Amino acid sequence: MKTLLTLAFICCTASAVKHSLKYFLTATSGATNFPEFVGVATLNDIQIGYCDNLKGEAQLKHNWMKKLFSKTPKDLKMYSDKCSRNHLLFKANMDDFKQRLNQTEGFHVLQRMNGCEWDDESNETKGFNQYGYDGEDLIALDLKDLTWIAPQANFVVIKHLWDANKARLQVK
């Protein structure tokens, strides 16, 4: 993560004002011919990495990324391992949400978008971590209070469970 953040600050063009590093994670249930889990990393809205449960390892999308990680192959292995752990975590969360929402059948999608943005004019940074379920906002982390916000009443039970689980807030 440190390598990518440093890269975000160094490699960006001078004309850009806001820079971002974002991770998009998607899990599906009940889908055919589609991976059960997909992860995508973007830098300034350009895809730089990809992983899914079928390929089993992180894939770099640009030669400059491959060159960067050739110097620290253990970091690329760490991202591959993190992809596998996220697959298992998302699978468990998906099963939990389906049970809690009485949706054990059919096609369902769980998504997370997290990352950070940096404004090089104001030097302001902003982080975010938010989830969606079946196309609706599920829950978002308030980074100031370190509590979860559930915009819909049917997701409040998840908010209370996640607020009580302080280990979920630890950086891994």
Side-chain angles (χ1 to χ4, degrees):
M1 177 79 154
K2 289 180 189 175
T3 303
L4 288 177
L5 286 174
T6 302
L7 186 63
F9 299 127
I10 294 173
C11 292
C12 300
T13 62
S15 63
V17 174
K18 287 194 178 184
H19 307 286
S20 64
L21 176 64
K22 297 177 185 172
Y23 298 95
F24 300 90
L25 306 177
T26 302
T28 59
S29 172
T32 56
N33 300 323
F34 191 79
E36 189 175 62
F37 177 80
V38 173
V40 173
T42 66
L43 179 64
N44 292 339
D45 298 323
I46 297 169
Q47 184 178 350
I48 59 172
Y50 174 88
C51 71
D52 67 39
N53 65 293
L54 301 177
K55 291 184 172 50
E57 63 182 36
Q59 299 177 345
L60 305 173
K61 294 298 184 179
H62 297 280
N63 286 335
W64 59 269
M65 288 292 295
K66 292 173 185 172
K67 183 177 179 182
L68 177 71
F69 278 96
S70 72
K71 297 174 185 172
T72 58
K74 67 179 180 357
D75 289 345
L76 185 57
K77 169 93 170 85
M78 179 209 47
Y79 278 104
S80 292
D81 292 346
K82 193 170 189 171
C83 182
S84 295
R85 285 192 309 274
N86 277 322
H87 171 226
L88 297 175
L89 176 64
F90 268 61
K91 185 174 176 52
N93 281 336
M94 176 75 81
D95 291 344
D96 184 43
F97 297 159
K98 288 189 316 185
Q99 290 294 322
R100 290 182 185 284
L101 300 170
N102 292 322
Q103 299 176 337
T104 55
E105 301 295 321
F107 177 76
H108 300 284
V109 177
L110 173 63
Q111 296 176 291
R112 180 176 87 189
M113 180 180 70
N114 67 304
C116 58
E117 293 178 336
W118 172 59
D119 184 320
D120 67 1
E121 284 186 352
S122 67
N123 209 28
E124 180 184 7
T125 58
K126 180 177 84 169
F128 48 89
N129 188 0
Q130 56 199 56
Y131 287 78
Y133 182 75
D134 285 349
E136 298 182 43
D137 290 340
L138 169 66
I139 197 165
L141 181 61
D142 178 335
L143 290 170
K144 290 183 182 175
D145 296 331
L146 292 181
T147 58
W148 294 94
I149 300 165
Q152 297 185 40
N154 55 333
F155 298 139
V156 171
V157 67
I158 296 164
K159 172 211 172 0
H160 292 303
L161 289 169
W162 286 16
D163 279 344
N165 183 356
K166 297 302 177 190
R168 181 177 277 284
L169 301 175
Q170 300 299 313
V171 176
K172 295 178 183 156

